[in-house]
């Protein structure tokens, strides 16, 4: 009998977003309160398109690649400190 391999699948859904340029259709984008951030990297681990970078040495430690961010809000929902909020894309905030 053939042995099946076990796979560790992380994430809230089985759908994988493609890393294509988001363009102008994103309605919301993540904004980080850097004073509250503990640099745990949870947001980077749960991002379905892998566009979050954690720079632990810097004050603004969470960097999003907004060219590819879909605005899904998973990072904000999964942040243990709730220091990521979703703001309107056209916001000046």
């Amino acid at each position: 009998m053939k042995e099946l391999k076990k796979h560790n699948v992380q994430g809230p859904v089985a759908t994988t977003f493609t890393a294509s340029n988001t363009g102008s259709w994103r309605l919301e984008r993540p904004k980080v309160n850097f004073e509250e951030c503990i640099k745990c990297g949870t947001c980077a681990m749960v991002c379905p398109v892998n566009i979050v970078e954690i720079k632990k040495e810097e004050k603004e430690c969470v960097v999003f690649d907004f060219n590819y961010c879909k605005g899904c809000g998973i990072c904000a929902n999964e942040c243990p400190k709730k220091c990521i909020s979703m703001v309107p894309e056209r916001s000046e905030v």
Side-chain angles (χ1 to χ4, degrees):
M1 186 166 144
K2 185 177 179 182
E3 186 176 323
L4 297 176
K5 293 182 181 180
K6 291 185 179 181
H7 297 280
N8 184 10
V9 179
Q10 295 182 0
V13 293
T15 303
T16 302
F17 294 102
T18 56
S20 59
N21 194 308
T22 302
S24 62
W25 60 263
R26 181 179 55 233
L27 299 176
E28 293 183 314
R29 60 183 164 83
K31 181 179 179 189
V32 179
N33 177 347
F34 296 108
E35 300 297 322
E36 297 291 322
C37 182
I38 59 172
K39 304 175 185 181
C40 66
T42 299
C43 53
M45 287 188 314
V46 299
C47 178
V49 287
N50 198 28
I51 56 92
V52 184
E53 182 180 356
I54 306 298
K55 297 182 177 184
K56 292 192 176 200
E57 301 80 32
E58 298 182 24
K59 180 178 178 358
E60 295 190 2
C61 53
V62 181
V63 179
F64 295 93
D65 184 348
F66 288 114
N67 290 323
Y68 297 97
C69 176
K70 308 302 181 212
C72 66
I74 294 172
C75 56
N77 288 332
E78 296 297 321
C79 178
K81 297 296 280 183
K82 302 299 179 200
C83 65
I84 301 175
S85 58
M86 298 302 288
V87 297
E89 177 60 35
R90 308 292 183 246
S91 173
E92 296 294 322
V93 180

